[in-house]
Amino acid sequence: MTSARAGRPKASSRETLAEAASELFLEKGYEATSIAEIAARAGVSRSSFFNYAASKGALLWGGLDERLEVLERLLDHASPREAVCRIADGFAPDALALAYANAEAMGLAAELEREAALRRARVGRAVARALRARGTDALAADVAGAAYGGALLAAIERWSLSGPGRSDLAATLVAALDSIRDIPLD
């Protein structure tokens, strides 16, 4: 017996909440916007909000977080570069891109920095784990992982600031990854 969940699909509701949050952050600022206000604007109850996101800031990162779950699985059989590049496949402008482009107006700059650091570290750990499993020295794997995490988050930020949709995230990401090997180390 299968059970169908009533209501909106989870991704749809998260996107609706993210849109509502973005609107409110632009209107009132991040700190002045409550979860209850976001839920009301999106047409869900406050208690239902937490079925879709752990916090108001997490709404902005939902799309990328889903892609990071895929990245972690891809690293089992793909090179780190290939796996990280796949994140850009079909990546459309979303609440995160809007947040980066309007960080000051939304009062989100510090929140974006904190949350981006968590994702950089997540990518770094995943890449390092995959490289160590393939025999790479632990220190080299950790450094490479940090570089990949930094390149990914820097590319997303730059793409967002250049006007998401006006440029190609995949090309920006490739340029960021290429810059890793071009950095003078001495």
Side-chain angles (χ1 to χ4, degrees):
M1 176 178 180
T2 61
S3 64
R5 186 172 161 225
R8 296 180 187 146
K10 189 164 184 119
S12 172
S13 291
R14 189 192 69 240
E15 291 165 4
T16 301
L17 283 161
E19 287 175 21
S22 296
E23 291 169 3
L24 287 163
F25 297 161
L26 279 169
E27 292 169 18
K28 301 174 63 170
Y30 179 78
E31 291 298 327
T33 300
S34 71
I35 288 172
E37 291 170 312
I38 295 168
R41 173 85 50 109
V44 301
S45 70
R46 185 184 187 290
S47 60
S48 293
F49 174 97
F50 295 102
N51 291 329
Y52 306 105
S55 67
K56 62 185 180 181
L59 286 172
L60 303 174
W61 296 89
L64 179 59
D65 287 342
E66 287 177 357
R67 288 170 182 272
L68 294 182
E69 289 173 16
V70 172
L71 167 74
E72 291 166 342
R73 290 190 302 272
L74 283 172
L75 285 167
D76 289 340
H77 55 81
S79 72
R81 184 180 179 97
E82 180 185 346
V84 169
C85 283
R86 294 273 304 272
I87 286 178
D89 291 349
F91 199 99
D94 62 359
L96 179 58
L98 181 67
Y100 269 122
N102 296 284
E104 293 303 319
M106 292 178 159
L108 272 170
E111 176 71 16
L112 287 172
E113 272 186 48
R114 279 189 301 277
E115 293 293 325
L118 294 173
R119 274 87 186 164
R120 271 192 300 277
R122 181 178 177 184
V123 172
R125 284 189 309 274
V127 168
R129 192 170 34 252
L131 289 172
R132 283 192 301 274
R134 294 177 184 143
T136 301
D137 170 75
L139 179 60
D142 289 346
V143 170
Y148 275 96
L152 173 62
L153 272 296
I156 290 171
E157 182 177 0
R158 295 292 164 253
W159 171 74
S160 298
L161 293 173
S162 71
R166 284 191 255 164
S167 62
D168 181 30
L169 176 57
T172 305
L173 181 53
V174 166
L177 292 170
D178 287 348
S179 72
I180 293 170
R181 68 172 172 245
D182 296 337
I183 296 171
L185 299 176
D186 294 317

